[in-house]
Amino acid sequence: MSGTELTMESLLRSLRREHRIFAGNVGNDASTLAQSLGLTITDYFASEELSVRNAIPTAEGAIEAAMKHTSVTLHGTPCLVLGFGRIGKVLAHDLSALGAKVSVSARKRSDLAWIDAFGYAPLHTNRLSGTLGEFRVVFNTVPHQVLDEALLAELPPDCLLIELASASGFDMDAVETLRLADLKAGGLPGRVAPETAARAIKKTLCRLIKEEA
């Protein structure tokens, strides 16, 4: 059906109840319509294993973007990772392996302890004021605002902001006012490593189908 115009509603209405549907990032409207039609949709992006596998190309793509859009090496450069979830963990590891000076912010005490144990500089997300003056690159993995105008104003004028979350962790009006460089880097797995991303989806689908069988 590639290249054809087919709405989600017409597609779902053309299916029968015995059909199994696998899709990624299924919206509420599609889920509600499918349920009303007696259809079952499995969202493979809700799988933890796929999220972990996708964190790897996401981290590599974020690092590629930082290398491309800064005039310094990451080796020796102070970098901040906002959030210590799947992507934050892999990204901090990869940055450290390149010799970057890695700081990671988190809210949970257990996360802050792990950040310290791995050799990164731990920062509490709610206590970032006064700590941001040296960072050349800030990677956000948190899907809600973390850096407001006051915090963004602490960053050096040549700091690069890289957004990896579905919702911005930066006050974008303030980013524009302060004229900070920012990159929206969503959907990195399919863009930087499409073969790896496809294999990850395939592995997840095969596991899901096998378990349901």
Side-chain angles (χ1 to χ4, degrees):
M1 295 180 291
S2 178
T4 63
E5 292 187 10
L6 184 65
T7 66
M8 179 61 70
E9 181 175 356
S10 62
L11 173 61
L12 293 178
R13 291 189 181 279
S14 70
L15 300 177
R16 301 188 299 274
R17 293 192 177 191
E18 59 267 28
H19 285 134
R20 286 294 287 111
I21 308 166
F22 295 90
N25 291 327
V26 180
N28 290 331
D29 291 344
S31 295
T32 301
L33 177 59
Q35 187 175 10
S36 69
L37 296 172
L39 300 171
T40 302
I41 296 182
T42 299
D43 189 342
Y44 47 76
F45 274 124
S47 167
E48 177 67 14
E49 67 178 285
L50 182 56
S51 296
V52 171
R53 288 192 177 109
N54 276 340
I56 297 170
T58 298
E60 290 189 8
I63 289 172
E64 178 187 28
M67 289 178 169
K68 182 178 180 180
H69 293 277
T70 57
S71 58
V72 295
T73 62
L74 288 178
H75 188 282
T77 295
C79 296
L80 172 60
V81 178
L82 298 173
F84 199 57
R86 307 176 195 94
I87 296 172
K89 288 181 175 69
V90 177
L91 180 56
H93 174 273
D94 290 354
L95 286 169
S96 180
L98 288 170
K101 296 179 180 178
V102 182
S103 298
V104 184
S105 78
R107 288 188 171 89
K108 294 180 181 178
R109 289 184 179 179
S110 58
D111 285 343
L112 291 168
W114 277 114
I115 291 165
D116 183 55
F118 285 131
Y120 319 134
L123 296 175
H124 196 293
T125 302
N126 294 336
R127 302 182 191 124
L128 291 175
S129 180
T131 68
L132 303 175
E134 67 171 357
F135 294 114
R136 188 64 182 269
V137 186
V138 178
F139 302 86
N140 179 60
T141 71
V142 182
H144 55 79
Q145 185 174 299
V146 177
L147 299 187
D148 58 17
E149 184 171 6
L151 292 174
L152 289 168
E154 292 186 21
L155 295 170
D158 57 358
C159 181
L160 172 65
L161 309 177
I162 299 181
E163 182 60 72
L164 301 172
S166 55
S168 183
F170 310 116
D171 180 339
M172 293 311 298
D173 290 335
V175 169
E176 185 175 352
T177 299
L178 296 168
R179 296 183 179 180
L180 294 171
D182 70 289
L183 294 174
K184 293 178 178 62
L188 285 176
R191 290 197 285 123
V192 303
E195 183 177 340
T196 298
R199 286 178 178 172
I201 292 174
K202 179 185 176 182
K203 287 180 181 178
T204 303
L205 281 171
C206 289
R207 194 265 301 168
L208 290 170
I209 293 169
K210 184 177 180 180
E211 287 182 354
E212 292 189 6

